[in-house]
Amino acid sequence: MELRAKVPAGPIQEKWDRHRFDLKLVSPANKRKYHVVVVGSGLAGASAAATLAELGYRVSCFCFQDSPRRAHSIAAQGGINAAKNYQNDGDSIWRLFYDTVKGGDFRAREANVYRLAQISVDIIDQCTAQGVPFAREYGGLLANRSFGGTQVSRTFYARGQTGQQLLLGAYQALARQIGLGQVTMYPRAEMLDVVVIEGKARGIVVRDLVTGAISAHVADAVVLATGGYSNVFFLSTNAKGCNVTATWRAHKRGALFANPCFTQIHPTCIPPSGHHQSKLTLMSESLRNDGRIWVPKQAGDQRPPAQIPEDGRDYFLERLYPSFGNLVPRDVASRRAKEMVDGRHGVGPLANGVYLDFRDAVERLGRAGIIERYENLFEMYERITGEDAFATPMRIYPAPHYTMGGLWVDYNLMTTVEGLYAIGEANFSDHGANRLGASALMQGLADGYFVLPYTIGDYLAQTKLEPVGVNHMAFREVEAQVAARVAKLLAVNGTRTVDEFHRELGTLLWDRCGMSRTADGLTDAIARVRALRERFWREVRVVGSGEDFNQSLEKAGRVADFLEFAELMCEDALHRQESCGCHFREEYQTPDGEARRDDSRFAYVAAWEYTGAGTPPALHKERLEFEYVHLAQRSYK
Ligand SMILES: Cc1cc2nc3c(=O)[nH]c(=O)nc-3n(C[C@H](O)[C@H](O)[C@H](O)COP(=O)(O)OP(=O)(O)OC[C@H]3O[C@@H](n4cnc5c(N)ncnc54)[C@H](O)[C@@H]3O)c2cc1C
């Protein structure tokens, strides 16, 4: 299989404009003849479904929650980037482009990143016009704050609820189209397979999560906007429902999976407090604008923070990275925090955190100033830990948060299956080996509002699609396979819960394929994942029936997919004999503990092909060329 990224020729600043002109159009009268299935109604899916419908396409949109408004995007707190340069602090499209390529440790496709930076400014205009209540300066312009890996303030925000407000904007646009009959919304419907006919995606098979009914839906193109897979680690900052099922099933139907081992571990989460936990909570990166991160200088120091004098504190990020200080990128901050905890400098009852201290910020801005910026985050922290972050520093520790890996897509966001698109966190994205804060919302909305609506028309205008119906043999076969898998899960009738398997898998991945990795650890993890998967299919117990609302069954299907996917993650991490961004192989580091890339061997996107159960996946490489941001060792010192 040849990977063709289809990046247009010409100077990088002109590629997208020229491409838009070269793309074939579907006339307004013909758009209504096409039916597009959009799976997912988070920021990427809702913005795509609403925009496609607004253009005149007929759209069916699916989500597994009871309402599109409950998509995981609602959890996003800190903000969304855009190169508006309202602050006049030196920002520009070029700088956002540069920061993102560098932040991703040179493992992203330059042309896509440049386009993302260009479109970022339109997103803010669109969302403001929808009424998204971004914070404003006293003069009326939208306010900004800083996120990691940058030296400018370009992050737009709505208190600590930016995702929620953006999703309300996208949902309004979607609801308008539902009301007009242009979008048919299917909540509580889980896509369990893609139907591919003569090499083209022609529809999906879904299970109604309330009745258990399995049904097929025909389409002229299918868009997956199904989010990320951080929950493979069991404990993560993601909503509990986030999973890999849609993209994994598409992978098994021919879509290549890119960089599956690139998972972002976010430095500012509340540390785990015990075995009872099923979820971790993020404290927004925006807190690093004002909070200072430190640990006791003396290993094993158990004194309360107030009793540790200034000269007994190690503000390790400020010490190691004087230029960026507490705002180094997430991969760097996470690794350093781990180093501190591993070196017995950890704080809190389990000595598994570092401090994020607002004492100096309160002195500078006053309590009211902090409340204005972070009120809901302080409240959330207190509700979870019982501690008042004004009285004692917050405790934080890294946790799985976002997945840079995902389905491989070309410049048009099409996967390796014709007519099958992936957008938002579901694709392998523009963030390379590490995503900068506030860039996921930007990318999801860029894909949904501004890229896909152009590129999908090009495909539809040029492709001859035979009429097919749900009675086509291919649909019937896939429906039967989906039903058989559901029945198989119910039939195991073992003794262990789905969560037991999920927790065991998550612990294994966290230890072996988390913040740091080794060849031995990964080889061992692959063997153990295989053994765990076999045990799952012998010993899992799924209670209830398949004809009912059954969350145990839902979870079992997702964990079964995680158990297959985890092996590919480890294979990918094992084959990449270098460190880059989030992928830290202990064997490949600089003397001062930074990631050591090997550009001569690994400056590529690793895109894996499914070759069948029990046979090794095939690796395809998309070489990455860096014409505008020259390959260099990342430095934030
Ligand atoms: C706590 C938290 C805070 C964050 N804060 C920020 C931030 O401040 N700034 C930022 O840029 N990013 C942030 N992120 C990241 C960002 O929120 C996500 O990357 C982004 O919202 C993902 O959007 P999405 O539309 O791709 O997917 P999601 O919002 O996850 O939506 C996925 C959709 O797909 C549907 N779906 C999934 N599988 C199926 C299936 N099999 N069948 C049917 N439907 C399916 C779901 O129902 C849902 O509608 C944060 C993430 C977390 C966890």
Side-chain angles (χ1 to χ4, degrees):
M1 183 184 295
E2 193 200 346
L3 279 181
R4 293 206 307 124
K6 299 195 185 142
V7 174
I12 201 159
Q13 309 90 305
E14 292 169 24
K15 281 183 196 290
W16 178 231
D17 285 345
R18 283 196 193 178
H19 190 58
R20 279 193 295 173
F21 180 68
D22 290 339
L23 291 173
K24 299 275 176 294
L25 297 176
V26 179
S27 79
N30 283 339
K31 285 201 178 89
R32 71 179 75 98
K33 295 184 189 155
Y34 290 106
H35 180 212
V36 181
V37 154
V38 177
V39 189
S41 62
L43 280 173
S47 58
T51 310
L52 292 172
E54 195 74 45
L55 285 169
Y57 295 106
R58 286 179 296 118
V59 177
S60 295
C61 184
F62 297 79
C63 71
F64 63 71
Q65 289 92 351
D66 56 352
S67 155
R69 277 177 54 180
R70 287 193 200 272
H72 162 67
S73 290
I74 208 158
Q77 302 169 345
I80 174 166
N81 287 330
K84 284 282 197 189
N85 193 30
Y86 284 160
Q87 306 292 317
N88 208 16
D89 58 357
D91 202 10
S92 62
I93 287 170
W94 273 101
R95 191 172 294 282
L96 175 51
F97 162 60
Y98 171 86
D99 285 348
T100 308
V101 172
K102 176 183 166 192
D105 216 356
F106 300 90
R107 290 295 174 263
R109 193 188 286 149
E110 268 193 341
N112 285 50
V113 181
Y114 192 86
R115 174 175 68 186
L116 179 64
Q118 272 177 309
I119 290 175
S120 70
V121 294
D122 301 327
I123 296 171
I124 297 303
D125 294 344
Q126 166 110 352
C127 297
T128 309
Q130 285 172 346
V132 172
F134 287 120
R136 288 180 185 266
E137 305 279 11
Y138 70 97
L141 273 187
L142 301 184
N144 291 133
R145 55 190 175 199
S146 302
F147 265 51
T150 69
Q151 288 177 314
V152 295
S153 284
R154 63 161 74 100
T155 304
F156 295 75
Y157 61 100
R159 286 217 173 161
Q161 310 166 345
T162 314
Q164 178 175 354
Q165 298 304 330
L166 290 171
L167 191 61
L168 286 171
Y171 172 70
Q172 279 175 162
L174 177 64
R176 177 178 130 77
Q177 292 300 328
I178 295 172
L180 291 171
Q182 202 65 18
V183 174
T184 308
M185 187 71 219
Y186 295 86
R188 286 256 186 248
E190 182 162 35
M191 182 207 114
L192 292 179
D193 222 327
V194 184
V195 180
V196 180
I197 300 177
E198 289 170 7
K200 298 185 180 64
R202 294 307 310 272
I204 59 171
V205 170
V206 305
R207 180 170 175 274
D208 182 315
L209 296 179
V210 179
T211 65
I214 290 167
S215 59
H217 300 260
V218 177
D220 298 304
V222 175
V223 180
L224 299 185
T226 49
Y229 51 82
S230 290
N231 276 346
V232 68
F233 290 97
F234 186 66
L235 287 181
S236 90
T237 63
N238 285 198
K240 284 295 288 175
C242 294
N243 66 85
V244 78
T245 289
T247 47
W248 185 247
R249 303 286 170 96
H251 174 61
K252 291 174 88 171
R253 296 281 173 199
L256 265 50
F257 213 109
N259 300 334
C261 80
F262 287 176
T263 51
Q264 175 160 84
I265 312 293
H266 195 302
T268 53
C269 305
I270 301 179
S273 57
H275 188 69
H276 60 279
Q277 266 182 297
S278 59
K279 165 132 194 44
L280 293 174
T281 306
L282 174 77
M283 298 310 300
S284 167
E285 176 159 309
S286 59
L287 294 165
R288 286 203 270 148
N289 273 265
D290 292 305
R292 297 181 69 195
I293 294 175
W294 66 274
V295 290
K297 271 188 187 157
Q298 198 187 313
D301 189 344
Q302 292 296 309
R303 284 177 293 172
Q307 287 175 23
I308 302 179
E310 201 52 30
D311 64 1
R313 301 174 176 203
D314 181 9
Y315 295 90
F316 54 94
L317 292 179
E318 297 172 30
R319 171 172 59 79
L320 293 165
Y321 306 99
S323 301
F324 283 71
N326 293 296
L327 281 173
V328 287
R330 292 175 179 176
D331 55 332
V332 177
S334 291
R335 213 150 42 233
R336 293 302 185 189
K338 179 178 186 305
E339 230 169 63
M340 293 297 146
V341 170
D342 291 351
R344 295 187 50 250
H345 295 271
V347 301
L350 301 177
N352 62 350
V354 300
Y355 287 128
L356 177 64
D357 195 338
F358 290 86
R359 184 197 62 186
D360 296 351
V362 173
E363 271 172 31
R364 189 163 34 88
L365 300 166
R367 197 182 162 102
I370 297 294
I371 288 178
E372 193 187 323
R373 290 184 190 184
Y374 309 116
E375 185 178 19
N376 69 320
L377 301 174
F378 272 58
E379 264 175 30
M380 193 165 85
Y381 183 79
E382 186 165 6
R383 271 192 224 141
I384 292 173
T385 62
E387 292 168 17
D388 172 9
F390 283 108
T392 186
M394 284 183 185
R395 287 174 294 109
I396 54 167
Y397 194 65
H401 176 66
Y402 177 89
T403 49
M404 282 77 68
L407 292 183
W408 183 90
V409 287
D410 64 15
Y411 189 71
N412 293 326
L413 305 181
M414 200 197 277
T415 68
T416 46
V417 174
E418 272 188 74
L420 179 68
Y421 292 80
I423 61 175
E425 196 173 336
N427 69 27
F428 84 103
S429 85
D430 304 339
H431 312 292
N434 170 63
R435 175 175 71 79
L436 293 183
S439 291
L441 303 182
M442 171 173 73
Q443 181 230 327
L445 290 179
D447 290 357
Y449 281 135
F450 294 106
V451 181
L452 181 85
Y454 286 97
T455 58
I456 206 168
D458 185 60
Y459 168 72
L460 293 172
Q462 299 191 64
T463 309
K464 174 124 188 52
L465 293 164
E466 296 301 329
V468 294
V470 289
N471 287 324
H472 187 287
M473 211 171 57
F475 276 93
R476 289 280 165 249
E477 266 172 22
V478 176
E479 269 182 296
Q481 286 164 6
V482 166
R485 190 176 158 95
V486 169
K488 190 174 165 195
L489 281 167
L490 287 160
V492 179
N493 207 18
T495 53
R496 293 182 62 198
T497 65
V498 177
D499 270 356
E500 281 175 74
F501 283 100
H502 195 179
R503 194 188 295 271
E504 193 171 331
L505 175 69
T507 310
L508 176 63
L509 288 181
W510 179 242
D511 287 347
R512 304 291 157 99
C513 196
M515 260 187 291
S516 74
R517 302 142 182 213
T518 62
D520 286 349
L522 289 163
T523 309
D524 177 58
I526 290 169
R528 294 225 246 152
V529 168
R530 286 183 189 152
L532 190 62
R533 193 166 61 225
E534 275 175 29
R535 268 199 285 135
F536 174 89
W537 285 104
R538 272 201 320 268
E539 295 173 16
V540 75
R541 181 174 182 81
V542 183
V543 292
S545 84
E547 288 83 43
D548 211 345
F549 181 61
N550 185 345
Q551 290 194 300
S552 167
L553 179 60
E554 276 173 42
K555 256 198 279 183
R558 293 171 193 164
V559 171
D561 287 332
F562 278 143
L563 281 163
E564 292 181 10
F565 172 70
E567 187 175 335
L568 186 68
M569 259 176 98
C570 296
E571 287 286 359
D572 185 41
L574 182 62
H575 108 282
R576 195 171 273 280
Q577 293 168 347
E578 65 163 354
S579 294
C580 57
C582 69
H583 171 65
F584 191 72
R585 283 281 300 265
E586 287 174 21
E587 306 94 318
Y588 310 102
Q589 51 181 307
T590 63
D592 49 356
E594 302 290 354
R596 185 155 56 79
R597 292 198 321 264
D598 183 346
D599 294 326
S600 61
R601 292 172 65 213
F602 293 98
Y604 60 74
V605 176
W608 298 91
E609 181 186 355
Y610 182 76
T611 59
T615 56
L619 173 63
H620 301 266
K621 300 175 184 174
E622 180 196 339
R623 265 256 139 251
L624 294 169
E625 308 291 341
F626 293 92
E627 214 184 318
Y628 296 88
V629 185
H630 295 295
L631 283 162
Q633 162 81 32
R634 259 189 337 164
S635 169
Y636 293 96
K637 292 200 165 155

